[in-house]
Amino acid sequence: MNDVVIIGSGIAGLTASIYLARSGITPVVICGDNPGGQLMQTDTIENYPGFDAISGAELMIKTINQAEKLGVNMIYESVTKITAVKNSFEIENTSEERLTAKAVLIATGATHKRLGCKGEAEFTNKGVSWCATCDGAINKGKTVAVIGGGNTAVMESLFLSNIASKVYLIHRRDTLRADEIMQKRIFAKSNIECVWNATVDEIIGETRVTAVKLDNGKTINVSAVFVAIGVKPATDFVKDLVALDDSGHVISNETKTSVPGIFVAGDVENDITKQAVYAAGRGCFAAQQIERYLGIR
Ligand SMILES: Cc1cc2nc3c(=O)[nH]c(=O)nc-3n(C[C@H](O)[C@H](O)[C@H](O)COP(=O)(O)OP(=O)(O)OC[C@H]3O[C@@H](n4cnc5c(N)ncnc54)[C@H](O)[C@@H]3O)c2cc1C
């Protein structure tokens, strides 16, 4: 019987593992098919305290090494099912091994939906981004495009309109899905132009993005494309166990889920701030909640 099994080895799960290991509990981390999480695919992070700039992979390799030095046991499999058994949990993974634990932390993150158009993969980290907070600053005074029509696309556009000289908000319909108050803010901004009834056929560039080609035949010159068409949290394996919101995120109350003994941290929570430092903070909070649950704090 393990005290804690952490599912996910992104910044949230690993931060929790470091806090738990330092409190005398040695957790098991089941890493999933992307050890290190989303940050492993992030070119440069410029908003993580303590580093002017660091590659995502370097940050996560340092974090994995730190956890391993503290004795955290990493299992390189994915979890397929969790079953509640009396006051504990049975965790099955892809190797069909079963672990038991008194407490479980879900830190499985989320993936941003892709456009699937030509040029998107080629120019990822070279102008194509899923995060204006992360990559907006380098577009000061430039023209950018945001793709989407919901609250996230609108928030990204508003954020970028304070940095870029012009923002094209490209949406496949003729009205936005975003809340009315958010729409009013968009329409009040003189440097945001909505492009209706259009989808992106191709992202064009040389070393970086230079333009987007739309399905209406138009090409718009931009230096960056921010894709804001939704995220998919990795929660399929717990959908029948813990309460999820409409978008599939785990509903969390101070990192506690609807099932006592199962906790949640990071991008997989029903929270709007998808940032590394925040996910790390939630991992710390979850670890301390788990310590209280196990009666050692
Ligand atoms: C391209 C890009 C650039 C970004 N740039 C920045 C930036 O500059 N600054 C910033 O603060 N944030 C940035 N972010 C956001 C940041 O990466 C996330 O907020 C952060 O990584 C979330 O951490 P997490 O641990 O919650 O989830 P993730 O990093 O998504 O990690 C989830 C982990 O869960 C594992 N997993 C999933 N399913 C299972 C399963 N069934 N069983 C076991 N394990 C599983 C995965 O393998 C992975 O290890 C960026 C994101 C992207 C995509």
Side-chain angles (χ1 to χ4, degrees), residues 6-14 30-48 60 75 77-81 92-93 107-112 114 124-125 128-131 133-135 234-235 237 265-269 273-280:
I6 297 172
I7 307 171
S9 57
I11 193 74
L14 290 176
I30 305 181
C31 296
D33 59 10
N34 186 15
Q38 291 172 62
L39 290 173
M40 292 301 279
Q41 285 80 50
T42 305
D43 199 24
T44 310
I45 307 165
E46 297 181 359
N47 54 10
Y48 199 86
M60 291 319 296
I75 297 179
E77 300 288 346
S78 291
V79 171
T80 50
K81 194 175 175 191
E92 288 173 49
N93 66 40
T108 45
T111 45
H112 293 263
R114 303 295 200 248
T124 293
N125 293 328
V128 175
S129 169
W130 286 263
C131 175
T133 308
C134 313
D135 301 320
T235 51
F237 69 106
D267 279 15
V268 71
E269 286 179 83
T273 305
K274 289 190 167 28
Q275 287 290 286
V277 69
Y278 187 70

